[in-house]
Amino acid sequence: MRLGFANTYDNALQNLYLRQSDLSSQQEKLTSGKNVNRPSDDPTASAVAERALTRISRVDTEQRALGVQRNAITMAESTLADATGLIQDIRDLVVNSGNGGFNATSRATIASQMRGLRDQLFSVANRTDTNGIPLFGGLGSSANPFTDSVAGITFNGTPGQRSSTEVALPSAMDGQAIWMNVPSGNGTFQASLPGTNTGLLSTDAGQVTSPAALTGHSYSVNFTVAAGVTTYDVVDTTTSATIASGQPYVTNQAIAFDGMSFVAHGAPANGDSVQLTPSTASNVFKVIDDAITSIDSSPGGPQLSQAIALALSQVDTSMDRIQSARGQAGDWLNRADKISSTQTGRSIQLEAEKSKAEDLDMVKGISDFSKIQTGYQAALQSYAQVQKLSLFNFIS
Amino acid sequence: MGSILNIGARALVANELALQTAGNNIANVNTPGYSRQSVILQAVPGQFSANGYFGKGVEVATVQRAHSEYLTNQAIISGSVSAADSKRLDQLKQLEDIFQGGSTGLGAAVSDMLNSFSDIVGAPSDLTARSVVLTRADEMAARFRDSSTRMDDLRLGVRNALQDAVIAVNTLAGRIAVTNQEVARAFGTGQSPNDLLDQRDHLITELNKYVQTTSIEATDGTLGIFVGGSQPLVLGKVATPLSISSDEFGDPAKSKLVMQRGTATNVIEEATLGGGSITGLLRFQNSDLIDAKNLLGRMTLAIGTTINDQHKLGLDLSGAPGGDLFRVNALPDGLASDTNTGAATIQVAIQTTPTSGATTMAASNYIINFTGAGVGNITRESDGQITAFAASPIAVDGLSISITGAAAAGDRFLVTPFSDASSTFSTTFSTPRALAIANPVSASAGATNQGTLALDSLVARSVPAPAAITISFTAPGTYTRSDTGATTYTYTPGQAIEYDLLSPGSSGWTLKLKGSALAGDTYTVQPNAFPRLSAGNAEAMMALRDVPMFDGATLTDGYASAMSEIGVRVQSAGFAADVSQSIATNMEKERTSVSGVNLDEEAAKLIQFQQSYQASAKMMQIAQGLFETLSQVLG
């Protein structure tokens, strides 16, 4: 086949251009380190890389948010630890106040110490995280979720707890459940002595012996002392029914009925009684306030013992609430570690996916480059050699 | 003796002409369009004598150009197709630059913007975090605008290129007409005007780089040149000019090639054009660019509308309901065809009831065909799907298209909902306090709840929030609602409890609880009393990231799909351009193997004819010698 002279030059040049552009695009890949520099290089891979990038930035965002949440929960946990210490101190003071050698003045001192601790506890409950968000705001609150007034402490927030998700923790705890949800007495009923009692009778906080038998009624246990023998009657004041009568009283022994029991100490006077009422809602601060009031104002004697027993029982319940919230916070912090490591794993995996989609395999890239380079070199050489060949060179 | 001299002299002339032709070939080796010429030698008929016929030497019959009609046509057509493909590829590559991925791309801007709400969740009242969100939103809007502007620039560039190409076509057509005239004149002489024909072929080759033509030769040697199969661009000595015009709807985004013949305007349909850079440009402008613009426009509208809708469900730092975060243009009215006879006009909006149409839009233009005053069908251009309608408004793909006035049967409208969505996209305010981050509703657990219920999410569906509703659990798996009395509902942990969502336009919310309930547990959903430290709406904004809205792809993945869609186009256009380029190269090689000059061949011919010339001269010398011998004998 004969070849058009001009066309062979054109074609050779065209091929040189092509090889040059191959070389330059391979060079671009090598310098950018990417196999896919624009979507058309590999539309699927570039979409994969783009989606991976979106996921990576989302994981980064979530990790950053988790950092803030973890911070808040860590602060909440340590705040609850502080609260535990304060309540423990208060409890010690309550126990101290029962010291038989103390007079009213000593008790007033103790009460004032307790007031100080109580105020500290109040400020602890209102603590905020680094962003100024209350740690115990529940599902949303004002800047200070707890306010102190003459009527008592109120919770200015929305009670409830956010759940944690696969990638996030709640950043606030339920202040209502932790601080504002302490029932009075032992949680089921409260034993109190009427002010008219004259004997030395006092009781412990009592306990539930059979939850199924509970009635939720109020009771009065009335003591009768006749001829040196002390007996008691139990009257259901809600229904006015007498449940038991003429029972012999032995000090330090349990008096039990309708699923409840309590232990009475000391000798009652004739006509003395113990009133049992169902528990009412109270809160950590009110429990302490009540203890302070009763210790401060108590003249001593059985009324004080009774108050101390009640206060201890209620302070312990408060402590339980706070401890269990601390446990919850600890759980969340564990969870945060797990989320964090899962997310890091995901992030690495996504990076790998992105890199697999769009990054250049350097070894292959360099090998390809030298292949293309060799090809280009050969093309240039052959071009130079072939164009020397002409019949005219041989005509003289 | 005289005849020997004669034969010698003839041979000298013939060989000189042959050498001259070879020289001409060598001279024109690099002339574009030049066809190799060769002299056709023929023996002069012999003279009869008693001893037979005696040859009277050689003469030049004609000078012929090496030319194959078939190969020339093939080379022209394949060159034309290659010009179309490579032009479209060039433009698509520019378009692809607009759809870049990675951290500087549009997709990253969208995802960064929504991710930035996360910082507000940690600190709802922090003005810095709010400013960051606003800056990101502004940045995202700016990238949308920028992409839109770059596409407009591209369109302007294409339009100018089309105008230039049409001017070039008209000039070439004019020159072909003139050449036709000269060819016709030269044909009268009986000899083939080789160089004129080469010139005309070359003009046709050049013309085909712009638009593919077919040619038919007339008896007088002139060529009729036709565009689009049958439209006569050149007939004999007359050229008809082409021009660029808009389509029947006057859509500024589209162009058409038309030919004005007298009073008649003939539209040359794009599908019949075949090849040439005009075809490539038209194809790019009328389909690729429009599709890309629709993809971008749909993203803008869908994202803008969805974010605005969510933003309006929040409360700002002063407790007031939020407004629009982005300025989203109203959708343009339908464009009427210039053949319409009715009085109808078409208005387009995004559907709002029963649910927002922003998540179900298709990136396409629509054509409405009326078969009666209020009936007809609507065609989605992207895939040709036809939907019949009989009433206004027409609900299609999340759009609500309303008809005002009476249409006549046969009226047509073009609806381009996304054509101008991105050019003015921007944020509407710059004060961070106005970001509506707070949730207007809040849920509170009952004070005596015993179960492990925890709040998963609470999403408002209206502002202001409805009055308090209490959900009371009657058993671990059932609850009653304070607004519906004794009716019991089933509770499944993690599943949404919807309030009033079913009656359109009314207020409501969606509550998700996790954990197990015990009888007596309650949850109350009420207007949020503490909006300052609430970031519920920011969480709802972030939840938008996973809302499917681009043919099933989520909001943040939508860009990846759009990007790869453009990528696929560029890639396949690249393949097509490679293939047609290599076909064109091969055809040109075939053609030049017939018509091109080969220098070695010409060198050989030079030697060949030089020797013949020398031999002829020798013959003259011998004739002279013979003459001298004879005169000596006689002398």
Side-chain angles (χ1 to χ4, degrees):
Chain A
M1 179 177 149
R2 58 187 297 285
L3 294 171
F5 182 82
N7 183 252
T8 49
Y9 270 82
D10 283 351
N11 280 348
L13 209 59
Q14 191 68 41
N15 282 333
L16 287 180
Y17 285 151
L18 219 62
R19 286 183 184 273
Q20 206 171 21
S21 95
D22 279 356
L23 195 66
S24 123
S25 89
Q26 187 65 21
Q27 192 181 23
E28 185 191 8
K29 286 179 180 179
L30 277 178
T31 47
S32 70
K34 286 189 171 170
N35 200 24
V36 178
N37 280 305
R38 46 188 68 77
S40 60
D41 290 346
D42 187 342
T44 319
S46 68
V48 167
E50 180 72 11
R51 281 195 286 266
L53 181 73
T54 309
R55 302 278 180 290
I56 290 168
S57 81
R58 177 136 170 201
V59 168
D60 287 350
T61 308
E62 282 163 358
Q63 286 281 62
R64 188 163 133 152
L66 183 69
V68 174
Q69 291 149 2
R70 190 209 295 255
N71 204 4
I73 296 298
T74 310
M75 287 179 78
E77 199 272 344
S78 72
T79 302
L80 288 172
D82 292 351
T84 311
L86 288 168
I87 293 174
Q88 187 60 49
D89 290 350
I90 289 172
R91 191 179 191 281
D92 291 348
L93 288 173
V94 171
V95 172
N96 266 348
S97 67
N99 191 328
F102 282 177
N103 56 17
T105 323
S106 327
R107 284 196 290 271
T109 316
I110 286 177
S112 102
Q113 268 178 304
M114 284 169 71
R115 266 187 211 103
L117 291 171
R118 182 252 187 227
D119 288 347
Q120 278 186 46
L121 194 63
F122 174 73
S123 72
V124 159
N126 263 337
R127 266 192 205 163
T128 60
D129 69 7
T130 39
N131 287 320
I133 313 296
L135 296 172
F136 302 105
L139 295 176
S141 70
S142 51
N144 288 315
F146 297 94
T147 46
D148 200 355
S149 68
V150 184
I153 303 277
T154 42
F155 177 61
N156 307 303
T158 320
Q161 180 62 59
R162 274 307 282 269
S163 64
S164 56
T165 68
E166 294 78 20
V167 294
L169 297 179
S171 52
M173 302 189 75
D174 185 2
Q176 169 80 30
I178 299 170
W179 300 96
M180 304 300 284
N181 190 17
V182 179
S184 65
N186 61 13
T188 309
F189 62 90
Q190 179 178 352
S192 54
L193 303 177
T196 52
N197 277 11
T198 51
L200 295 174
L201 178 77
S202 70
T203 72
D204 68 356
Q207 59 179 341
V208 173
T209 53
S210 165
L214 292 176
T215 59
H217 294 172
S218 299
Y219 300 89
S220 174
V221 180
N222 304 320
F223 294 87
T224 316
V225 183
V229 179
T230 311
T231 57
Y232 65 88
D233 302 341
V234 180
V235 179
D236 183 335
T237 51
T238 312
T239 60
S240 306
T242 304
I243 292 173
S245 61
Q247 301 292 314
Y249 167 73
V250 184
T251 184
N252 292 340
Q253 278 219 342
I255 298 174
F257 52 90
D258 283 359
M260 309 182 291
S261 88
F262 64 89
V263 178
H265 320 277
N270 188 31
D272 283 0
S273 68
V274 177
Q275 303 295 327
L276 299 183
T277 49
S279 282
T280 54
S282 181
N283 61 58
V284 173
F285 306 101
K286 182 160 188 304
V287 160
I288 295 167
D289 286 343
D290 288 350
I292 292 169
T293 316
S294 52
I295 290 168
D296 198 14
S297 63
S298 171
Q303 293 286 1
L304 179 64
S305 314
Q306 185 74 20
I308 288 172
L310 178 67
L312 285 180
S313 161
Q314 296 184 144
V315 164
D316 286 349
T317 314
S318 306
M319 189 79 109
D320 283 352
R321 289 281 184 275
I322 287 175
Q323 289 294 2
S324 94
R326 237 185 120 181
Q328 165 102 77
D331 269 358
W332 280 333
L333 290 176
N334 271 342
R335 208 189 148 87
D337 291 343
K338 283 197 193 108
I339 293 173
S340 192
S341 75
T342 315
Q343 292 276 53
T344 312
R346 254 191 96 202
S347 191
I348 291 170
Q349 193 192 333
L350 286 166
E351 288 282 3
E353 208 169 290
K354 177 167 177 281
S355 157
K356 201 173 135 199
E358 66 170 11
D359 283 359
L360 181 69
D361 175 353
M362 272 297 167
V363 177
K364 188 174 176 297
I366 291 168
S367 137
D368 283 354
F369 183 77
S370 56
K371 200 163 76 190
I372 295 171
Q373 196 184 20
T374 314
Y376 184 45
Q377 224 156 29
L380 283 174
Q381 269 168 4
S382 68
Y383 179 80
Q385 303 225 325
V386 167
Q387 66 98 33
K388 278 186 207 152
L389 295 175
S390 170
L391 188 52
F392 284 103
N393 295 340
F394 303 99
I395 304 173
S396 52
Chain B
M1 230 168 332
S3 53
I4 296 180
L5 263 180
N6 266 342
I7 290 174
R10 274 207 178 113
L12 273 181
V13 172
N15 284 316
E16 198 204 328
L17 284 176
L19 281 171
Q20 187 188 332
T21 309
N24 189 42
N25 282 344
I26 293 170
N28 281 301
V29 63
N30 290 321
T31 308
Y34 177 78
S35 299
R36 175 172 58 97
Q37 296 174 0
S38 50
V39 289
I40 305 297
L41 298 176
Q42 65 180 25
V44 179
Q47 189 176 17
F48 179 73
S49 77
N51 300 327
Y53 288 93
F54 285 92
K56 292 175 73 176
V58 70
E59 63 179 2
V60 174
T62 185
V63 180
Q64 198 179 42
R65 61 175 186 145
H67 175 75
S68 158
E69 185 82 28
Y70 171 74
L71 287 178
T72 308
N73 271 342
Q74 290 300 308
I76 287 176
I77 289 171
S78 57
S80 183
V81 171
S82 168
D85 287 347
S86 72
K87 197 69 185 182
R88 174 163 174 250
L89 179 64
D90 287 350
Q91 299 296 326
L92 273 169
K93 277 182 172 166
Q94 291 187 44
L95 179 63
E96 186 185 21
D97 283 343
I98 301 171
F99 282 84
Q100 281 296 340
S103 54
T104 52
L106 198 51
V110 173
S111 122
D112 284 352
M113 189 246 156
L114 286 169
N115 283 343
S116 65
F117 277 101
S118 167
D119 288 335
I120 297 196
V121 173
S125 52
D126 181 5
L127 288 182
T128 317
R130 284 167 176 260
S131 297
V132 168
V133 169
L134 271 186
T135 314
R136 289 277 158 81
D138 213 41
E139 157 74 13
M140 181 187 96
R143 282 198 207 176
F144 271 108
R145 278 200 310 275
D146 179 51
S147 299
S148 170
T149 313
R150 285 171 69 187
M151 277 192 215
D152 288 344
D153 289 350
L154 212 52
R155 185 164 71 200
L156 269 179
V158 169
R159 181 147 276 217
N160 289 341
L162 275 173
Q163 297 291 4
D164 292 349
V166 163
I167 290 171
V169 165
N170 290 339
T171 313
L172 286 167
R175 284 175 61 192
I176 291 171
V178 171
T179 316
N180 262 344
Q181 198 171 0
E182 288 170 16
V183 169
R185 204 177 297 142
F187 250 60
T189 65
Q191 289 288 353
S192 164
N194 290 332
D195 297 307
L196 268 181
L197 294 178
D198 276 352
Q199 193 192 342
R200 192 173 63 185
D201 283 349
H202 183 58
L203 286 172
I204 292 172
T205 309
E206 288 298 306
L207 175 65
N208 271 269
K209 285 183 182 159
Y210 296 105
V211 61
Q212 189 176 326
T213 62
T214 46
S215 33
I216 293 171
E217 190 166 3
T219 46
D220 61 350
T222 59
L223 275 182
I225 311 276
F226 300 88
V227 185
S230 59
Q231 301 292 332
L233 180 63
V234 181
L235 268 186
K237 301 171 244 174
V238 183
T240 317
L242 294 177
S243 59
I244 295 290
S245 146
S246 54
D247 67 356
E248 58 172 316
F249 302 107
D251 181 4
K254 275 192 179 174
S255 301
K256 288 221 150 138
L257 195 59
V258 294
M259 184 180 278
Q260 193 77 36
R261 300 188 67 207
T263 52
T265 306
N266 296 333
V267 172
I268 302 167
E269 291 302 330
E270 198 185 306
T272 64
L273 278 173
S277 65
I278 288 182
T279 314
L281 286 170
L282 284 177
R283 206 168 287 162
F284 170 75
Q285 189 195 33
N286 293 352
S287 60
D288 299 323
L289 193 56
I290 284 185
D291 289 350
K293 198 100 204 262
N294 281 345
L295 279 175
L296 184 79
R298 174 176 70 160
M299 270 188 87
T300 316
L301 272 186
I303 291 177
T305 310
T306 315
I307 290 183
N308 276 352
D309 287 351
Q310 188 59 54
H311 189 252
K312 283 190 236 172
L313 290 177
L315 302 177
D316 66 14
L317 214 45
S318 58
D324 282 341
L325 176 53
F326 290 109
R327 180 177 297 117
V328 177
N329 273 358
L331 272 56
D333 288 351
L335 300 167
S337 166
D338 51 14
T339 59
N340 281 6
T341 52
T345 55
I346 299 288
Q347 289 79 35
V348 190
I350 297 178
Q351 181 187 308
T352 50
T353 54
T355 50
S356 171
T359 56
T360 51
M361 296 188 291
S364 173
N365 290 345
Y366 297 84
I367 289 192
I368 301 176
N369 261 313
F370 282 97
T371 53
V375 289
N377 54 56
I378 181 163
T379 309
R380 182 163 64 203
E381 285 205 310
S382 61
D383 58 0
Q385 190 187 303
I386 299 173
T387 318
F389 66 86
S392 170
I394 311 164
V396 60
D397 294 338
L399 298 173
S400 169
I401 301 172
S402 37
I403 306 161
T404 318
D411 280 4
R412 286 155 55 81
F413 287 89
L414 173 70
V415 176
T416 57
F418 312 110
S419 57
D420 197 32
S422 319
S423 61
T424 53
F425 193 57
S426 59
T427 50
T428 55
F429 56 85
S430 55
T431 158
R433 297 182 58 85
L435 260 186
I437 293 306
N439 203 344
V441 283
S442 69
S444 59
T448 57
N449 279 9
Q450 300 290 315
T452 58
L453 282 181
L455 181 77
D456 185 40
S457 68
L458 173 65
V459 178
R461 305 225 173 271
S462 66
V463 175
I469 299 287
T470 301
I471 290 164
S472 312
F473 287 88
T474 50
T478 53
Y479 64 88
T480 59
R481 233 166 56 186
S482 60
D483 61 321
T484 53
T487 316
T488 56
Y489 303 89
T490 308
Y491 165 70
T492 315
Q495 258 184 21
I497 297 172
E498 305 273 5
Y499 172 63
D500 245 357
L501 183 67
L502 291 176
S503 53
S506 75
S507 52
W509 38 255
T510 303
L511 171 72
K512 270 189 199 167
L513 296 175
K514 270 186 181 171
S516 58
L518 288 178
D521 286 0
T522 64
Y523 247 89
T524 305
V525 182
Q526 71 263 311
N528 194 351
F530 309 103
R532 252 190 95 80
L533 290 187
S534 162
N537 206 37
E539 288 172 25
M541 286 280 192
M542 287 198 287
L544 293 180
R545 293 180 297 192
D546 296 325
V547 172
M549 56 171 62
F550 303 113
D551 308 317
T554 61
L555 192 153
T556 44
D557 281 345
Y559 182 70
S561 317
M563 192 180 88
S564 65
E565 199 170 322
I566 300 294
V568 168
R569 258 172 213 260
V570 181
Q571 196 186 36
S572 62
F575 290 150
D578 281 353
V579 170
S580 59
Q581 163 84 48
S582 94
I583 293 175
T585 310
N586 284 336
M587 289 318 299
E588 180 63 15
K589 197 171 167 188
E590 293 287 329
R591 188 190 72 78
T592 55
S593 78
V594 173
S595 302
V597 176
N598 183 306
L599 283 181
D600 290 345
E601 182 189 6
E602 301 306 327
K605 278 189 180 165
L606 281 181
I607 298 166
Q608 182 191 354
F609 290 115
Q610 188 188 17
Q611 282 180 353
S612 305
Y613 186 88
Q614 280 168 349
S616 310
K618 195 73 189 171
M619 196 157 64
M620 304 269 296
Q621 195 188 11
I622 287 169
Q624 188 193 12
L626 286 179
F627 185 77
E628 275 176 11
T629 311
L630 200 58
S631 65
Q632 274 169 12
V633 171
L634 292 176

